[in-house]
Amino acid sequence: MSAATNVEPAGPGMQAPPGGTQPPDFPTVMGHPRPLWMLFMSEFWERFAFYGIRWAMVLYIVAQLHGGDASYEKPASELYGAYLALVYAGAIFGGYVADKLIGFQRSILLGAVIMAAGLFLLASPTESMFKLGLATIIVGNGLFKPIISTIVGKLYAQGDERRDSGFTIFYMGINLGALLAPLVTQYLAQKIFGVEGMPAYKVVFISAGIGMLLSLVWFWFGRRQLKGIGLPAAHQTGPRNVSLVLLFGVVIGIPLFYALLTIDATLLQYILMALFIIPAIMLFREGVVEGKVSRDKVVAMLVIFAFNVLFWMFFEQAGSSFNFLAEKIVNRDIGMQGLFQALAGTNDFPVSWFQSVNSVAIIVLAPILAWLWVKMGRNNPIIPRKFGLGLIFNGLAFLLLMVALSSMVDGAGKIPFWTLFMVYVIQSVGELCLSPIGLSMTTKLAPAKLGGLAMGCWFLSIAIGNNLAGIFAGQVSGEAGMTVQSAHAGYTFGFYALVGSGVLLFLIAPLINKLMHGVK
């Protein structure tokens, strides 16, 4: 899950203040409501926790739970993909809980407590406890992540010109957390607590848990600044509803997600697709009821959702197969042993640091691409073609890997460091072409009465893509662990699938655009 995909103006069941509703009169800091900076730091620490474990998960599963046996790379990747898929699927229910039961502030606080507990559980040395920790994180994330983004929107009145820049600042908090987390957790795991060259992966999870507690503390003491925004309604006050949500999460939510993490990845894929198809049919039926224009918009939206699945299937290799690639096949000796030894306790470029490349690229490239879209004016690509560009750039990243693995392998069976580094950069360009417009597009194309359901379908399309990413990563590793040959075969398929789908989307873009009836 990339940092740039996590800026939601509103989640399912959650809406920004309706027209005419004015937020409290906040004191300003650097031109923005003061609570924005509190939310910025709360989100920074939550993203630190979330991305802090990303680089270590599959490596930990193989090294610590299976004694380093490379044949377990495939199930490790599938588990990682299932975890990410369920994080997105679980978030769909967070809006309902916050709206109907406990209010936004208490949803964030309860979610932070549950997520922290899950992160600490990951450090347990058994596979069952590890999966229990993942299931716990999924439940906590559903209560936390979609809600805090919605509160940012509630700081601004409709039409407030500062609104977009406020979300941009909040977005920087996300990317800074994602940028620093791999660097800090790698340092602690390798330089401080590592033994005999083996990173102390458990330290990564404990560090992430502490980061989540910092997010909790930051929001706990800072929430008074919100002047009532996100407080529970009169009928939601008292401990009863919070107790019910906690009980439901512990008794039903965590066991359910634990069970889904233990089933075969293909079976989980069928379940996720069924969850998508049902609301998709409901959206289409509502579109038909509302008339031809609404029906056409729903069709266009669902077609783009299908291409969105393909994008995330291949983009989200960063936490799975790319980690095995970096550890086993990339030459990370770039002649800076003294610096890396001082900063990370290793002589080579650390595997975890690759995870920060995406955040750096997003921070650097996002303003450039935003300027370019404005500069192009009337020549600005239509929405389907921007999605097509996202797929094609993602495919070009796989083309670079395909070439590297076929013609740049040295005598030690390694490919140059710069190739994987640039893969992350090229993928980031694709992400910026696709991800920022997806949520906005969904709100514009959805039937008037089913906006939340449409947003749920958007998240489910990403969930399906993430689970497929785990399955694909397992195929890249093969039955005995990743080799140059298995990686080359897998990434070659990724290139053709992405570029082929991107070109197809380019070709049918005029038809999809016609179905969108002027939505830009």
Side-chain angles (χ1 to χ4, degrees), residues 91-116:
I92 296 169
F93 304 103
Y96 180 85
V97 171
D99 272 340
K100 304 297 184 182
L101 296 175
I102 61 176
F104 286 9
Q105 289 191 21
R106 295 201 295 184
S107 182
I108 290 172
L109 293 169
L110 183 60
V113 171
I114 295 173
M115 283 182 73

Side-chain angles (χ1 to χ4, degrees), residues 10-15 89-104 106-108 139 141-147 150 232-233 235-236 241 244-245 248 452-453 455-456 459:
M14 301 175 291
Q15 302 296 331
I92 296 169
F93 304 103
Y96 180 85
V97 171
D99 272 340
K100 304 297 184 182
L101 296 175
I102 61 176
F104 286 9
R106 295 201 295 184
S107 182
I108 290 172
V139 171
N141 183 81
L143 292 169
F144 185 104
K145 187 69 192 80
I147 314 302
T150 306
H235 66 282
Q236 298 171 344
N241 282 7
L244 285 175
V245 171
F248 181 87
L453 189 65
M455 193 66 73
F459 285 123

Side-chain angles (χ1 to χ4, degrees), residues 66 301 313 430:
H66 300 292
M301 179 176 65
M313 171 181 175

Side-chain angles (χ1 to χ4, degrees), residues 74-387:
K74 180 178 179 180
S77 294
E78 290 176 347
L79 177 59
Y80 174 75
Y83 159 70
L84 277 188
L86 294 172
V87 161
Y88 271 96
I92 296 169
F93 304 103
Y96 180 85
V97 171
D99 272 340
K100 304 297 184 182
L101 296 175
I102 61 176
F104 286 9
Q105 289 191 21
R106 295 201 295 184
S107 182
I108 290 172
L109 293 169
L110 183 60
V113 171
I114 295 173
M115 283 182 73
L119 289 162
F120 288 123
L121 283 174
L122 293 183
S124 175
T126 67
E127 185 172 2
S128 58
M129 291 298 290
F130 187 81
K131 290 180 179 178
L132 180 63
L134 294 179
T136 305
I137 293 170
I138 292 166
V139 171
N141 183 81
L143 292 169
F144 185 104
K145 187 69 192 80
I147 314 302
I148 194 168
S149 302
T150 306
I151 290 184
V152 173
K154 291 180 178 292
L155 300 180
Y156 301 90
Q158 291 296 313
D160 191 328
E161 295 179 352
R162 302 173 300 168
R163 186 184 184 90
D164 286 348
S165 61
F167 268 104
T168 300
I169 292 170
F170 185 70
Y171 161 78
M172 288 299 110
I174 291 173
N175 278 282
L176 285 172
L179 167 64
L180 293 176
L183 308 181
V184 173
T185 55
Q186 164 78 29
Y187 179 84
L188 293 173
Q190 188 111 29
K191 177 72 173 178
I192 304 298
F193 298 102
V195 291
E196 298 179 359
M198 167 71 76
Y201 291 120
K202 296 177 185 179
V203 175
V204 176
F205 307 130
I206 294 171
S207 303
I210 293 171
M212 196 64 238
L213 290 178
L214 288 173
S215 176
L216 169 66
V217 171
W218 207 283
F219 187 80
W220 173 269
F221 287 104
R223 62 199 166 105
R224 296 176 182 82
Q225 300 175 22
L226 293 170
K227 296 186 175 181
I229 287 180
L231 285 176
H235 66 282
Q236 298 171 344
T237 57
R240 178 178 176 272
N241 282 7
V242 174
S243 300
L244 285 175
V245 171
L246 181 60
L247 180 65
F248 181 87
V250 171
V251 175
I252 298 178
I254 292 175
L256 173 63
F257 287 119
Y258 181 90
L260 292 173
L261 287 169
T262 59
I263 65 175
D264 180 76
T266 303
L267 177 57
L268 177 60
Q269 190 65 24
Y270 289 135
I271 293 172
L272 291 171
M273 291 176 67
L275 288 173
F276 179 86
I277 290 171
I278 293 170
I281 293 173
M282 294 171 63
L283 287 167
F284 181 75
R285 289 183 62 187
E286 181 64 25
V288 171
V289 170
E290 291 186 6
K292 179 180 181 298
V293 171
S294 180
R295 179 203 65 193
D296 289 351
K297 288 180 178 179
V298 170
V299 171
M301 179 176 65
L302 294 176
V303 170
I304 290 178
F305 283 178
F307 285 97
N308 192 50
V309 168
L310 280 171
F311 180 87
W312 295 108
M313 171 181 175
F314 295 103
F315 182 91
E316 196 46 68
Q317 297 303 302
S320 52
S321 74
F322 286 177
N323 271 340
F324 291 125
L325 185 76
E327 185 182 50
K328 301 173 70 172
I329 299 176
V330 173
N331 180 5
R332 294 181 287 113
D333 181 1
I334 58 176
M336 302 175 68
Q337 289 88 348
L339 176 63
F340 294 143
Q341 187 60 236
L343 293 178
T346 177
N347 289 326
D348 300 330
F349 186 91
V351 170
S352 69
W353 287 17
F354 283 107
Q355 301 293 315
S356 296
V357 177
N358 173 253
S359 296
V360 174
I362 293 294
I363 292 170
V364 172
L365 296 175
I368 297 173
L369 208 59
W371 171 84
L372 180 62
W373 298 142
V374 174
K375 188 71 174 176
M376 294 177 73
R378 297 178 60 183
N379 295 319
N380 194 346
I382 56 179
I383 287 175
R385 285 201 166 140
K386 282 184 178 177
F387 266 75

Side-chain angles (χ1 to χ4, degrees), residues 37 42 144 149 163 210 235 353 394 406 411 433 435 485 510 517:
W37 305 99
S42 298
F144 185 104
S149 302
R163 186 184 184 90
I210 293 171
H235 66 282
W353 287 17
N394 199 357
S406 62
C433 291
S435 181
Q485 292 74 26
H517 290 277

Side-chain angles (χ1 to χ4, degrees), residues 1-3 5-6 47 50-51 54 80 84 87-88 316 466:
M1 177 192 312
S2 166
T5 68
N6 289 282
R47 288 293 91 182
F50 193 90
Y51 284 94
R54 190 189 194 203
Y80 174 75
L84 277 188
V87 161
Y88 271 96
E316 196 46 68
N466 283 332

